[in-house]
Amino acid sequence: MKAVFPNAELKLGAAHRSTADDLVRWSQNFENMTVGNNKILARMSERTKLVGGAVLSYALGQEFRNYRGLDIVFHGGGDAGYRSYLIRVPEKRFTVVVLSNSREFFPHDLAYGALDTFLCGGPTKKTQPLNLDPKVLARCVGDYEIFPGSIVRLSSQSGKLFLQSYGDSTKMELPRVANQEFNYPVYGYSKLIFDKSPNFKWRLFDMTYTGTRLHLKPFKPAQANLKELLGTYYSTELRDEYVLSIRKGQLVASHRRNEDIILTPIQRDWFHGSSDFFGKVIPIRNSAGRITGINVSAQRVRKLYFKRVAARPK
């Protein structure tokens, strides 16, 4: 079973260009400042406020939460084969720093384990989840999009929930760990959380993403008119182009350096790309219905526009 949510590990902050000693000294700087000034440290603690008024837990390089009655400040990091984690408990003047050079290692175990041991009287006791209401399970079933192009289908069988990624014929069981919470086994500390919302929350380490419920209409790929998309598409932002052609009945996006990307139609004017960075392709039409360009979206890109051109601009 492949990872459904591509490159999720790379979305963590990177603290691996430091040492444990340096990070401890940095932590102590918040209590006994020798670097910066009060204005800078105060600014780093200002949590992000959205346009609608909601306040996030994340500030500038710091995240805030309450853990077992403790107000903690933390940040995790991960890239390639590195993993890192830092937790501060200002009230207790207590800091935990964990660095590792293995992608199979999860620093959360040591970081939060240290909090449990030294400040919380030991680890929490695990309890068995209650019997799941079949109506709750039925509400979980459906199609969802986490990032553009990252589409999953949730289904149920024998009282269990299964996940299947788009384009993958296999299903993965999601073990239930709480009444409406299911582990995503591919990543440690990762789970899907359901509530009264039609969507689910995907919790990865200390981050939360939304799985937005889709309402896909019955559609056969053969219904798509691939020929109307043929041509060269140029991005002024990237100063680069892709050429769309048909090979063996499939629409293919070709680049002079990158590998070919297969674009599979899943709805009218909605194509699923075989590459993480070409996850969702939406054709743009003019008033006459002619395709004049495409919008490309992926995990870290939203609606990158490529204009249809006769040839690459000089």
Side-chain angles (χ1 to χ4, degrees):
M1 168 65 70
K2 65 181 181 180
V4 174
F5 312 134
N7 295 333
E9 67 179 15
L10 302 184
K11 295 185 70 62
L12 299 175
H16 56 268
R17 294 191 184 98
S18 186
T19 67
D21 287 341
D22 283 345
L23 290 175
V24 169
R25 291 173 63 192
W26 173 242
S27 173
Q28 293 173 337
N29 192 69
F30 286 90
E31 301 172 7
N32 301 297
M33 184 179 58
T34 57
V35 177
N37 54 51
N38 291 330
K39 183 177 180 180
I40 291 176
L41 296 187
R43 182 71 179 91
M44 291 182 63
S45 298
E46 291 181 12
R47 305 185 192 187
T48 303
K49 181 179 290 186
L50 303 181
V51 175
V55 179
L56 303 183
S57 62
Y58 197 80
L60 293 180
Q62 300 188 103
E63 192 164 354
F64 298 80
R65 66 176 290 203
N66 187 278
Y67 176 78
R68 300 187 66 183
L70 298 172
D71 290 326
I72 67 173
V73 186
F74 62 94
H75 203 293
D79 193 0
Y82 299 93
R83 295 292 182 269
S84 58
Y85 211 87
L86 185 152
I87 302 177
R88 291 194 298 118
V89 188
E91 177 186 0
K92 303 292 186 180
R93 303 188 66 184
F94 184 90
T95 296
V96 180
V97 175
V98 182
L99 302 179
S100 72
N101 59 357
S102 171
R103 63 176 297 167
E104 284 76 26
F105 177 79
F106 294 101
H108 298 67
D109 288 328
L110 287 180
Y112 286 97
L115 292 190
D116 290 338
T117 299
F118 291 102
L119 301 180
C120 300
T124 57
K125 296 181 180 179
K126 296 182 178 181
T127 59
Q128 293 294 326
L130 302 173
N131 292 331
L132 182 62
D133 186 342
K135 294 181 180 179
V136 173
L137 187 61
R139 288 202 304 269
C140 300
V141 171
D143 297 314
Y144 300 83
E145 185 175 35
I146 296 90
F147 307 116
S150 298
I151 301 172
V152 298
R153 170 165 292 177
L154 299 182
S155 60
S156 63
Q157 183 179 348
S158 303
K160 298 179 179 180
L161 189 66
F162 293 85
L163 182 147
Q164 181 179 3
S165 61
Y166 182 84
D168 194 341
S169 60
T170 59
K171 296 181 180 180
M172 175 197 306
E173 181 183 347
L174 302 180
R176 189 165 66 95
V177 294
N179 190 34
Q180 299 183 66
E181 298 182 4
F182 299 82
N183 271 349
Y184 177 57
V186 175
Y187 298 115
Y189 299 93
S190 177
K191 59 185 178 181
L192 275 60
I193 303 171
F194 296 85
D195 51 27
K196 296 181 180 180
S197 166
N199 309 319
F200 67 72
K201 297 184 184 303
W202 176 39
R203 185 72 174 171
L204 173 64
F205 303 102
D206 295 314
M207 298 170 291
T208 302
Y209 304 98
T210 298
T212 303
R213 183 181 287 272
L214 300 174
H215 299 282
L216 301 178
K217 299 178 180 179
F219 181 81
K220 296 181 180 179
Q223 297 174 340
N225 181 6
L226 303 183
K227 292 183 179 180
E228 65 176 344
L229 284 128
L230 301 183
T232 301
Y233 294 80
Y234 182 79
S235 167
T236 57
E237 294 182 74
L238 299 181
R239 297 181 182 179
D240 209 350
E241 80 278 354
Y242 276 84
V243 177
L244 269 57
S245 60
I246 298 176
R247 301 179 193 172
K248 297 181 180 181
Q250 293 181 313
L251 186 65
V252 178
S254 301
H255 187 270
R256 52 186 171 168
R257 290 187 300 271
N258 299 327
E259 294 182 357
D260 290 345
I261 301 170
I262 298 174
L263 303 179
T264 304
I266 60 175
Q267 296 281 270
R268 184 180 185 274
D269 286 348
W270 181 353
F271 289 79
H272 179 272
S274 59
S275 170
D276 292 347
F277 58 85
F278 235 75
K280 185 175 184 178
V281 177
I282 304 296
I284 305 301
R285 298 178 182 271
N286 60 17
S287 58
R290 182 178 180 275
I291 294 177
T292 58
I294 57 175
N295 276 338
V296 176
S297 300
Q299 184 176 353
R300 298 189 180 187
V301 178
R302 297 294 188 273
K303 297 182 179 180
L304 178 63
Y305 180 64
F306 287 78
K307 182 180 180 180
R308 194 175 194 177
V309 296
R312 175 186 173 90
K314 296 183 180 179

